[in-house]
Amino acid sequence: MPIAVDIDVMLARRKMSVGELADRVGITPANLAVLKNGRAKAVRFATLAALCEVLECQPGDLLRWEAEVEAAAGG
C-alpha cells in the first residue's frame, strides 16, 4: 500500500499509549492497531479528525504517500 501511517511517531512525541489514544478517540485498540500497522483499507474522516484532535496534529502528520516499488525489476 503506498499510503504509510505514522501514528507511532505521533504517539511517541505525545508520550501516549495505544490504549489511551484508542480510548480518547473512541475506537477499539484492535481497530487502532489495524490502522497503525498499515493494514486498514480505509479510514473515516471522522476517525482521522478525532485522531488529529487528540494528537494535536494535521492529517499529513499521520498519513503520507510512498511510491510502490515494482516487484519485478523489469516490469
Side-chain angles (χ1 to χ4, degrees), residues 6-71:
D6 291 327
I7 291 175
D8 282 338
V9 173
M10 294 308 297
L11 282 171
R13 288 182 183 166
R14 302 296 185 251
K15 295 180 173 63
M16 187 180 299
S17 70
V18 173
E20 181 183 352
L21 179 60
D23 188 49
R24 291 178 62 184
V25 169
I27 62 176
T28 66
N31 283 341
L32 182 57
V34 167
L35 179 60
K36 183 174 79 72
N37 296 324
R39 296 188 317 259
K41 301 269 185 211
V43 61
R44 293 176 187 222
F45 280 167
T47 302
L48 183 58
L51 287 166
C52 289
E53 182 178 356
V54 170
L55 293 170
E56 298 177 353
C57 67
Q58 294 295 314
D61 297 325
L62 301 176
L63 304 173
R64 63 187 158 80
W65 179 82
E66 291 182 342
E68 289 190 85
V69 178
E70 294 281 333

